Amino acid sequence: SSSQCLHLLIHGESHISRNPLDNDTELRDCSTIVVAKVPEAIPIRKPVSINASELTATRRIYVIGFNRCGTRSLTTAFKQAGIGCVHWDRNQLMLAILSDLRRHGRINLQTHYPGSNAFLDLIHVPEHGKNGDHILCEGTLLHQHLIDSDPDAYFILNTRSVEGWLASRCRHLNGSFLEIYRQHLGRIKRKELDVDDVLLEWRRMWHQAHAEILSRFQCEPHLRSLVFDIENTPYNILKQ
């Protein structure tokens, strides 16, 4: 139904798979994105913290919100606290996540980044990393896999107002991020898309991810979870 996530894979022509990780094609030849019905908007007016007011470098930290939500500032804050960080890594971070899921069904970033505890900016965008990749994947939409793979870690939903997020994404890299995304999303949907189509898709993803993640944080209070609104939350909430 339209309320279920549709994982769309592209390898040459488009193929639809119930689970993109079951596809036998090489990882670099696939594109992954999630399309879903838009749930009701979730207002975020103040930080919500559950068992994660203090962060340490002894546990892994996953910043599972979208890019353009303060990931560089959070990376700086973690590094100043002596926490080893991986921020995007020119698409390689997302490739490691997808590779683990394809091969093992769970994520183990310690095998790829043994000196790091915090992982941010989980996204793979074509032409913004290794040449020739056609993967379009939002790590935020893999939040269930991230939490299930390392439930004792800290999970931070970095966020901001949806309108501010959309505007920031449109400006990112002088608009080239938006254009590349438009082209590859059009390939997935097999039709020409304009900017408004991309903004609609981004808005859908934002609402879907926030609804699912906030619901899980609320339903599983044992998780070390934190909602960090970059427009309202003071950074000292991250200090030990």
Side-chain angles (χ1 to χ4, degrees), residues 65-125:
F66 292 104
N67 72 328
R68 312 309 299 167
C69 287
T71 56
R72 288 193 180 277
S73 296
L74 287 167
T75 298
T76 298
F78 290 150
K79 287 183 176 179
Q80 290 176 347
I83 300 174
C85 299
V86 181
H87 179 279
W88 181 51
D89 194 21
R90 296 191 61 80
N91 285 334
Q92 297 306 302
L93 176 55
M94 195 67 237
L95 286 179
I97 290 172
L98 292 174
S99 177
D100 279 352
L101 289 173
R102 285 276 303 278
R103 296 176 180 178
H104 311 295
R106 65 185 301 275
I107 300 164
N108 185 4
L109 290 179
Q110 285 300 98
T111 62
H112 304 278
Y113 301 99
S116 299
N117 286 80
F119 305 95
L120 311 88
D121 209 358
L122 311 179
I123 187 172
H124 188 295
V125 181

Side-chain angles (χ1 to χ4, degrees), residues 7-9 19 22 52 60 65 67 105-107 110 141 146 162 169 182 191 195 206 209 214 216-217 220 231:
H7 295 272
L8 305 182
L9 288 173
N19 185 348
D22 291 338
R60 281 175 292 281
N67 72 328
R106 65 185 301 275
I107 300 164
Q110 285 300 98
L141 303 179
L146 289 162
V162 63
R169 272 200 161 190
R182 184 191 67 79
K191 64 180 182 180
V195 171
W206 191 96
L214 290 174
R216 183 156 189 184
F217 283 2
E220 300 182 35
E231 297 171 344

Side-chain angles (χ1 to χ4, degrees), residues 6 12 16 18 20 41 44 47 56 62 87 89 91 93 96 111 119 122 139 149 162 164 173 187 200 202 222 228:
L6 299 178
I16 298 178
R18 182 166 302 191
I44 299 176
T56 70
Y62 299 93
H87 179 279
D89 194 21
N91 285 334
L93 176 55
T111 62
F119 305 95
L122 311 179
S149 296
V162 63
L173 300 176
R187 290 178 61 237
L200 177 61
W202 286 352
H222 61 278
F228 191 93

Side-chain angles (χ1 to χ4, degrees), residues 1 4-9 15-23 32-34 145:
S1 69
Q4 295 176 325
C5 297
L6 299 178
H7 295 272
L8 305 182
L9 288 173
H15 300 281
I16 298 178
S17 172
R18 182 166 302 191
N19 185 348
L21 305 174
D22 291 338
N23 194 283
T32 308
I33 197 168
V34 175
H145 293 290

